[in-house]
Amino acid sequence: MTVPRHLAVIMDGNGRWAERRRRPRAIGHRAGARAVNVCIDFCLERGIDALTLFAFSSENWGRPEEEVGALMKLFLGALDREVDELHRRGVRVRFIGERERFAADIHQRMQAAEALTAGNTRLHLNIAASYGGRQDIAQAARALAADALAGRLRVEDIDESALDARISLADLPAPDLFIRTGGDHRISNFLLWQLAYTELWFTDVLWPDLDADLLQRALDDYARRERRFGLTSAQVAGGATENLPA
Ligand code: IPE
Ligand code: IPE
Ligand code: MG
């Protein structure tokens, strides 16, 4: 069975999970943090190489102060609690997004988690925090411009691969499978560039209700799909892979 090398997930539905129980939204986020562990365990068991989780979008800063505050507390707690165990299990942790926007204590723990786990290779765990896909493309464009101005890059050499080298997660294959929980069918400014040929999978299940069976269902559906990358079915069946992206 074809297992995705890289799984990208929008963990949505925490707020509604809590509201259905007439509880504050922060309780939903806490329950959502448990589901993160379910997802990581699943990836480790199935031998998935990379997992990218959308934890907090650039736009989520605009939520009520109380909710943002509760999320920050949760991030801090999770960084304190989980990183050693992730390290022990061979997980490399990285953060993508505008980390400068976080308070110094969170920022420092992000750096420390990355430094501690930098040598691990069993699972690449990428946490998108204060992340926006458009912002990611803009920062890659800025890096291209800076290299061009400094004489390191000719303008005529700016192509897809040059931008690709400067976008988040450049060292990993693009996500093979994208999962969004919570019932909405949209990308919400997640990895816009990287998802160009990713298989998309949506479920109404709310993120805190995630379990391994649901993830397995997504993987089973994925294994049944034919990824053509613009080619014909016959070409793909014939192994015409030289035109396919990595
Ligand atoms: C996802 O759950 C978590 C974050 C965006 C931080 P939501 O908080 O968006 O939950 P819903 O979509 O309101 O139910
Ligand atoms: C996307 O969910 C961001 C995260 C899960 C972190 P949102 O709840 O913010 O997305 P919209 O507002 O429904 O598009
Ligand atoms: Mg939501």
Side-chain angles (χ1 to χ4, degrees):
M1 194 178 104
T2 319
V3 175
R5 288 170 300 177
H6 184 174
L7 177 62
V9 183
I10 295 189
M11 315 184 284
D12 197 26
N14 295 350
R16 280 165 285 167
W17 186 91
E19 281 159 13
R20 280 179 200 172
R21 289 165 176 73
R22 302 185 189 289
R23 305 295 310 276
R25 292 176 59 88
I27 299 291
H29 294 311
R30 202 184 305 159
R34 280 196 303 273
V36 170
N37 288 326
V38 170
C39 191
I40 293 171
D41 291 349
F42 181 86
C43 289
L44 285 167
E45 269 167 34
R46 296 305 137 101
I48 290 169
D49 296 328
L51 170 65
T52 301
L53 297 173
F54 204 3
F56 193 79
S57 74
S58 307
E59 292 75 24
N60 290 149
W61 287 112
R63 291 194 179 189
E65 217 178 292
E66 189 186 313
E67 181 168 346
V68 173
L71 280 164
M72 294 304 133
K73 246 197 213 155
L74 261 177
F75 291 156
L76 200 59
L79 282 163
D80 280 340
R81 244 187 355 263
E82 309 289 348
V83 170
D84 285 341
E85 175 67 5
L86 289 171
H87 179 48
R88 202 186 55 73
R89 298 167 86 189
V91 178
R92 178 175 186 183
V93 185
R94 280 185 287 179
F95 297 87
I96 59 170
E98 296 185 291
R99 70 177 69 187
E100 323 70 63
R101 292 185 72 180
F102 288 99
D105 50 358
I106 293 185
H107 194 160
Q108 280 157 10
R109 281 168 177 84
M110 287 175 167
Q111 310 285 71
E114 287 183 342
L116 176 71
T117 63
N120 296 337
T121 54
R122 189 167 163 218
L123 171 68
H124 291 267
L125 172 63
N126 312 299
I127 312 283
S130 191
Y131 178 86
R134 288 180 169 178
Q135 187 276 326
D136 196 2
I137 294 170
Q139 69 74 28
R142 208 158 48 237
L144 288 170
D147 285 345
L149 271 174
R152 291 187 293 265
L153 178 70
R154 296 185 311 168
V155 170
E156 51 277 25
D157 290 334
I158 295 178
D159 57 8
E160 285 183 30
S161 71
L163 195 147
D164 203 62
R166 290 161 179 83
I167 201 108
S168 297
L169 313 179
D171 62 320
L172 296 173
D176 300 298
L177 175 63
F178 159 101
I179 294 176
R180 182 175 183 140
T181 60
D184 287 309
H185 295 190
R186 55 180 173 251
I187 306 288
S188 298
N189 202 17
F190 195 25
L191 305 160
L192 298 177
W193 174 273
Q194 299 86 338
L195 292 177
Y197 266 108
T198 302
E199 294 296 324
L200 307 180
W201 196 87
F202 299 92
T203 173
D204 290 338
V205 170
L206 303 174
W207 178 254
D209 291 327
L210 182 87
D211 62 21
D213 285 349
L214 185 77
L215 290 169
Q216 189 55 50
R217 245 193 304 150
L219 256 59
D220 291 345
D221 281 352
Y222 172 79
R224 279 192 292 269
R225 294 186 187 182
E226 181 184 60
R227 302 183 75 188
R228 290 189 292 279
F229 299 97
L231 305 186
T232 67
S233 203
Q235 283 176 299
V236 174
T241 51
E242 69 275 11
N243 298 322
L244 304 183

